[in-house]
Amino acid sequence: MDETRHVEEIADSVYWVGARDWDRKTFDAFIPLPQGTTYNAYLVKGREHTALIDTVNPGFWKQLHEKVDKVDSLKNLRYLVMNHAEPDHASAVPYVMGESPDATLVTTAKGAKMAKLYSKVPDGRILVVKDGDAIDLGGKTLAFIEAPWLHWPETMFTYLPEDRVLFSCDYFGAHTAFGMYDDENEGLLSLAKRYYGEIMMPFGKPGQKALEKIEPLDIRVLAPSHGPVYRNPGKIVDEYRRWTAGETKEKAIVAFVSMWGTTDRMAKAMAEALANDGIEVCVFNLQGADVGDIARELVDARALVLGSPTVLGGLHPLAAYAASLVKVLRPPLKYAAFLGSYGWGGGAARQALELLGPLRIDVVGAVDINGPADGEAMGKVADLARALSAKIKGATGATARTAESIA
Ligand code: FEO
């Protein structure tokens, strides 16, 4: 069998006609993809009409065309549903509209603007839909659910009530090319969490609203546009409820970079002390750490310890990058602390506070030492670990040391 032309019937007359991208190494030009990804598109065949739900990334248009033609003919397409206008799902819109003379593009009002701008689809070939609208394919109904900001402002879901299939585009996705269905990828939950951290975490509130909207639906198959199709959707929906609610665990991330070993020693002492207190600790040496792994742990970590020496009056660039990542991903962190060292002039701690301060994270304290990590310095690290641990565990009376402990 030519695997790249595999078509899967995921529900009655509903076919996966997407593409597997085994070779893609990063998403958004910075998130590593250890297992590649998929661009899932689905063909829904009713008695009278056929609809294609989303398309594929550039480079996979022909593959999409060939797969659709295995089930029907692309020329016969009546509707092209665009749940999301980002090019990994909508790049083939102009191609499909060109190949399908009778097709109408179905999207939200904001999606229509994007379709006109990016895909040059004329007004006369666009059907704008909103919550409660539906189209009848003949024994198959496509019902539309506006789900903005998941992950752009125009996003929506499409629900097929006869077969209880929800096409959620980016939402509930995972970057992996492994497995057609959720139960065929053992590590899927971790990958889905990583994806959530990278893509959806900044949109927790819109995510909660979308979950409320789909609550009444009896979903049997959850068909996102990246990664496997869920034929057991309950668990991932439950996880999304927790993640979007910003539930954190007694868990800390220690992310550090060190040039001559001083910050390394402090960071590891902090990690040991927290772990000894029963706190789950994830340690990332920022030299070579996988950004996706950090994003995954940020989903439910309660605290971040950032470690960096001072380099030319500020944070080491890798630590500055990690702090910027926290800023853009908007994790539900409650507490932070800083560890650092310098030889002749500080500055890293100040910059760390400037970056983390406006994020509504309680900065519990900082230890920024001049010179080697001697006994006195390690004593300060131990004090800070105790204060942070108490905060993480929700204890009262912890000593918050902020600006005054910064050199
Ligand atoms: Fe998978 Fe927002 O595109």
Side-chain angles (χ1 to χ4, degrees), residues 9 33 36 78 89 100 116 211 242 265 301:
E9 188 171 13
L33 301 182
R78 180 65 188 86
H89 312 295
S100 314
K116 284 185 262 185
L211 289 174
R242 274 190 279 278
R265 199 173 155 210

Side-chain angles (χ1 to χ4, degrees), residues 224-345:
S225 288
H226 295 292
V229 169
Y230 288 87
R231 48 189 172 193
N232 313 284
K235 182 155 179 58
I236 191 67
V237 174
D238 284 348
E239 293 292 349
Y240 263 65
R241 281 199 194 99
R242 274 190 279 278
W243 298 341
T244 55
E247 286 182 19
T248 60
K249 296 180 180 173
E250 288 188 4
K251 171 172 158 182
I253 294 172
V254 178
F256 74 96
V257 56
S258 184
M259 296 192 298
W260 294 104
T262 306
T263 307
D264 182 302
R265 199 173 155 210
M266 296 163 78
K268 286 175 183 163
M270 170 66 78
E272 289 282 331
L274 293 175
N276 281 341
D277 251 5
I279 289 169
E280 183 184 342
V281 183
C282 307
V283 178
F284 293 102
N285 185 332
L286 295 168
Q287 260 190 98
D290 181 321
V291 172
D293 287 344
I294 298 175
R296 181 190 62 224
E297 301 309 330
L298 281 169
V299 170
D300 53 13
R302 196 167 292 168
L304 169 72
V305 179
L306 185 66
S308 172
T310 289
V311 179
L312 301 173
L315 285 168
H316 186 287
L318 290 177
Y321 179 60
S324 323
L325 198 68
V326 169
K327 188 173 177 191
V328 296
L329 294 182
R330 297 184 221 163
L333 286 169
K334 295 192 175 355
Y335 306 109
F338 177 80
L339 299 173
S341 57
Y342 60 94
W344 63 91

Side-chain angles (χ1 to χ4, degrees), residues 101-338:
D102 299 326
T104 295
L105 186 82
V106 182
T107 186
T108 59
K110 287 191 170 124
K113 279 188 189 163
M114 292 182 182
K116 284 185 262 185
L117 178 66
Y118 290 106
S119 304
K120 310 299 175 210
V121 182
D123 273 321
R125 295 191 69 189
I126 299 177
L127 174 65
V128 171
V129 291
K130 58 184 185 320
D131 273 342
D133 288 347
I135 54 179
D136 181 11
L137 304 177
K140 302 260 182 216
T141 310
L142 297 181
F144 305 105
I145 301 162
E146 290 177 86
W149 294 107
L150 304 174
H151 119 261
W152 282 6
E154 85 296 353
T155 44
M156 68 173 187
F157 300 161
T158 300
Y159 186 58
L160 173 57
E162 289 83 357
D163 302 283
R164 294 182 280 154
V165 182
L166 182 73
F167 303 98
S168 58
C169 203
D170 275 347
Y171 213 51
F172 302 114
H175 282 315
T176 173
F178 294 4
M180 184 68 235
Y181 296 102
D182 56 306
D183 45 42
E184 296 172 350
N185 185 322
E186 279 187 14
L188 180 58
L189 185 57
S190 172
L191 290 159
K193 189 176 181 185
R194 175 185 168 105
Y195 173 100
Y196 177 86
E198 299 156 359
I199 312 281
M200 292 297 165
M201 191 157 61
F203 307 109
K205 284 270 184 300
Q208 281 184 305
K209 280 190 189 150
L211 289 174
E212 282 166 22
K213 281 189 180 181
I214 64 170
E215 183 76 41
L217 307 180
D218 178 19
I219 300 164
R220 188 174 66 84
V221 177
L222 183 49
S225 288
H226 295 292
V229 169
Y230 288 87
R231 48 189 172 193
N232 313 284
K235 182 155 179 58
I236 191 67
V237 174
D238 284 348
E239 293 292 349
Y240 263 65
R241 281 199 194 99
R242 274 190 279 278
W243 298 341
T244 55
E247 286 182 19
T248 60
K249 296 180 180 173
E250 288 188 4
K251 171 172 158 182
I253 294 172
V254 178
F256 74 96
V257 56
S258 184
M259 296 192 298
W260 294 104
T262 306
T263 307
D264 182 302
R265 199 173 155 210
M266 296 163 78
K268 286 175 183 163
M270 170 66 78
E272 289 282 331
L274 293 175
N276 281 341
D277 251 5
I279 289 169
E280 183 184 342
V281 183
C282 307
V283 178
F284 293 102
N285 185 332
L286 295 168
Q287 260 190 98
D290 181 321
V291 172
D293 287 344
I294 298 175
R296 181 190 62 224
E297 301 309 330
L298 281 169
V299 170
D300 53 13
R302 196 167 292 168
L304 169 72
V305 179
L306 185 66
S308 172
T310 289
V311 179
L312 301 173
L315 285 168
H316 186 287
L318 290 177
Y321 179 60
S324 323
L325 198 68
V326 169
K327 188 173 177 191
V328 296
L329 294 182
R330 297 184 221 163
L333 286 169
K334 295 192 175 355
Y335 306 109
F338 177 80

